[in-house]
Amino acid sequence: MNKKLSLVGAAVAASLMLTAAAPAEARIPFFSNQQEMPTLAPMLEQATPAVVHISVEGSREVRQRLPEAFRYFFGQRGPNEYREERPFKGLGSGVVIDASKGYIVTNNHVIQDANDIEVRLKDGRTFKAKKLGADPESDIALLQIEAKNLVQIPLANSDKIRVGDFAIAIGNPFGLEQTVTSGIISALGRGGLGIEGLEDFIQTDAAINSGNSGGALVNLRGELIGINTAILGPNGGNIGIGFAIPANMMKNLVDQIVEHGEIRRGSLGIRGQDVNSELTEAMNLKVSRGAFVNEVLPDSAAAAAGLKSGDVIVSMNGNKISSFIELRAKVATLGAGREATLGILRDGSERTVTVTLRQSSSAQVAANQIHPMLDGAELSNNDGGGVKIETVASNSAAAQIGLLPDDVIVGVNRQRIANLAELRTVLEKRSGVAAINIQRGNTNLYVLIR
């Protein structure tokens, strides 16, 4: 054994002496001049022009605690806080998903409350962007710019990605444009984090920092697999735990905004919980992950499809379901009217059911997304046609022009409108004053907005 070690040591020493003695130009490179070094550069040259820099300006209502000295003048029942509008500026990222129509996807929190949205392309061109719609629950927003020669990024099927796949994040962290970081997919179907209302995140260790929000997470083909949206770390810094909204989830939401002018939230009509070890033992289940159905609501999509309490939903459209939170997010973002094939476990046997999702009762849109003078109202598509006023906040712009709950907007400038998408389109194309035709009970009236 000692003789072998001596021989190895002598060989290593000789190797080190030869290396030290050889001139730099004589050293053998790791890759020969004829051998191409592995690089992501060609893919990134195609993908990075589709990732844009977004800067916003606006104002937000800020609540401040009223000093005790001032409260004295109001008496003991005086207010303990006051509100004021404060200007703000922000930076983020976005992804061009349709070059011909100028569609750009970003996070809702990037452009929320913004009065002015500016998009800067990789080639240096800048454009004012128009907000077409947003979904605060899933943190997705759709913008549009009028520009030629845009580059769009192709979409991957995010349901097919796996833990361990390589991932590259492209964005503008801290305002540093066109920054690229790499890593792998660390986990799928992350939820219950309390970051968004609907969570079905891709987790990655590719470095994501402030300003990456709304940027692209791509695979090695340069296809979009997710929209970077959040990080987990002290003081907002990267610690290798970042989250992205899956591309399929984003596309479902964007399609709804384009088609309907709103998010038509899908509803299954069940109450349930995650499958855990206690439930598995108590119910003698053959699975350890999934969504357990506690109750099927009457007159719901689930009831019509034949789902029963005690069922365990283990897949949706061929993709595994790990938790009730993941199922809820997939159903809600797939949208009302869409069909879903659910794999269920019932009495120890596996079977599939097809369900047509119904519209959630919470499927409403803030009216300021349609027009500033409608601010303070919540709108939804009316079953009989037109746009229904669900609620009107007191002292809001909508209240001041005379809108009331249960009013139905049936036309603009004598042009009939059938839904929110048509209302948005007509108001965007108008010039000057718009006459909003309101159906209030058995009465027709007009409200003027500028």
Side-chain angles (χ1 to χ4, degrees):
M1 179 67 72
N2 291 335
K3 184 176 180 181
K4 289 182 179 180
L5 287 174
S6 297
L7 289 172
V8 170
V12 171
S15 174
L16 290 173
M17 290 174 63
L18 286 172
T19 302
E25 59 270 20
R27 293 175 188 169
I28 300 175
F30 189 72
F31 292 96
S32 67
N33 292 333
Q34 290 76 30
Q35 185 178 3
E36 187 174 337
M37 289 190 296
T39 176
L40 297 175
M43 178 275 286
L44 292 171
E45 287 168 359
Q46 299 295 319
T48 52
V51 180
V52 303
H53 178 275
I54 296 177
S55 57
V56 301
E57 293 185 14
S59 59
R60 290 193 177 108
E61 186 181 79
V62 178
R63 297 184 179 185
Q64 295 282 353
R65 186 170 184 81
L66 196 65
E68 292 296 326
F70 286 94
R71 290 192 65 197
Y72 171 79
F73 293 100
F74 293 99
Q76 291 186 353
R77 294 189 177 182
N80 58 10
E81 66 177 19
Y82 68 96
R83 303 178 183 183
E84 64 175 340
E85 291 286 325
R86 287 190 179 178
F88 74 91
K89 293 183 179 181
L91 300 174
S93 308
V95 184
V96 179
I97 60 168
D98 191 321
S100 63
K101 296 179 180 177
Y103 289 161
I104 296 173
V105 171
T106 186
N107 287 141
N108 176 69
H109 76 259
V110 171
I111 51 86
Q112 190 172 12
D113 300 322
N115 301 321
D116 183 58
I117 305 172
E118 184 178 85
V119 169
R120 183 162 64 251
L121 307 181
K122 184 180 180 181
D123 61 17
R125 290 182 292 164
T126 60
F127 300 91
K128 296 294 183 182
K130 176 173 62 177
K131 178 180 172 182
L132 296 184
D135 181 28
E137 285 287 288
S138 59
D139 203 15
I140 282 291
L142 180 63
L143 308 178
Q144 186 177 36
I145 61 174
E146 294 183 6
K148 295 180 179 179
N149 301 320
L150 289 175
V151 176
Q152 72 184 53
I153 199 163
L155 268 61
N157 182 355
S158 58
D159 288 334
K160 300 302 181 183
I161 62 176
R162 300 175 300 171
V163 173
D165 286 350
F166 288 106
I168 297 91
I170 311 171
N172 307 289
F174 306 110
L176 300 173
E177 297 184 30
Q178 295 293 315
T179 295
V180 177
T181 55
S182 65
I184 63 169
I185 302 301
S186 306
L188 298 169
R190 284 293 194 216
L193 305 173
I195 299 172
E196 308 296 350
L198 297 171
E199 298 179 343
D200 183 22
F201 290 129
I202 300 168
Q203 183 181 322
T204 179
D205 66 347
I208 295 175
N209 286 287
S210 178
N212 268 116
S213 293
L217 188 69
V218 302
N219 59 22
L220 294 184
R221 296 189 188 95
E223 298 167 331
L224 186 71
I225 58 176
I227 300 294
N228 300 323
T229 191
I231 53 178
L232 187 64
N235 304 316
N238 170 64
I239 59 170
I241 302 178
F243 301 101
I245 299 165
N248 288 6
M249 179 174 172
M250 175 275 293
K251 187 178 184 303
N252 287 334
L253 294 166
V254 166
D255 287 347
Q256 293 173 52
I257 292 172
V258 172
E259 183 178 355
H260 307 296
E262 65 169 341
I263 300 299
R264 290 189 169 184
R265 192 82 67 212
S267 173
L268 188 55
I270 62 172
R271 294 192 177 98
Q273 65 183 79
D274 295 348
V275 172
N276 53 35
S277 57
E278 292 85 359
L279 189 61
T280 298
E281 183 178 354
M283 300 294 292
N284 194 26
L285 302 176
K286 294 183 178 180
V287 292
S288 58
R289 305 293 294 274
F292 184 78
V293 180
N294 290 345
E295 178 185 1
V296 176
L297 302 179
D299 192 29
S300 65
L307 283 174
K308 298 180 179 180
S309 58
D311 287 347
V312 179
I313 300 174
V314 294
S315 69
M316 177 173 167
N317 293 335
N319 302 301
K320 289 183 179 180
I321 295 294
S322 298
S323 66
F324 193 84
I325 290 174
E326 181 183 0
L327 174 67
R328 175 176 173 267
K330 288 185 181 299
V331 166
T333 55
L334 183 59
R338 301 284 186 89
E339 281 193 352
T341 301
L342 302 178
I344 65 172
L345 188 66
R346 179 184 296 169
D347 299 328
S349 301
E350 293 185 14
R351 62 184 70 190
T352 59
V353 297
T354 300
V355 58
T356 301
L357 303 179
R358 298 187 181 177
Q359 186 164 346
S360 171
S361 59
S362 63
Q364 301 175 10
V365 63
N368 61 0
Q369 297 181 17
I370 306 292
H371 191 281
M373 290 192 69
L374 301 178
D375 186 31
E378 291 285 338
L379 310 178
S380 66
N381 286 329
N382 190 48
D383 292 338
V387 174
K388 184 179 180 182
I389 311 294
E390 297 286 351
T391 61
V392 178
S394 59
N395 299 322
S396 65
Q400 290 172 12
I401 64 174
L403 294 182
L404 297 176
D406 295 327
D407 283 353
V408 178
I409 301 174
V410 294
V412 179
N413 292 346
R414 298 188 182 277
Q415 179 179 341
R416 299 288 294 184
I417 59 106
N419 52 41
L420 280 161
E422 290 187 9
L423 175 63
R424 185 195 304 275
T425 300
V426 171
L427 288 179
E428 285 176 350
K429 292 181 178 179
R430 88 199 191 288
S431 58
V433 175
I436 307 295
N437 187 194
I438 302 292
Q439 181 78 43
R440 182 175 293 165
N442 296 323
T443 304
N444 265 302
L445 58 113
Y446 283 90
V447 171
L448 301 182
I449 64 174
R450 297 183 181 275

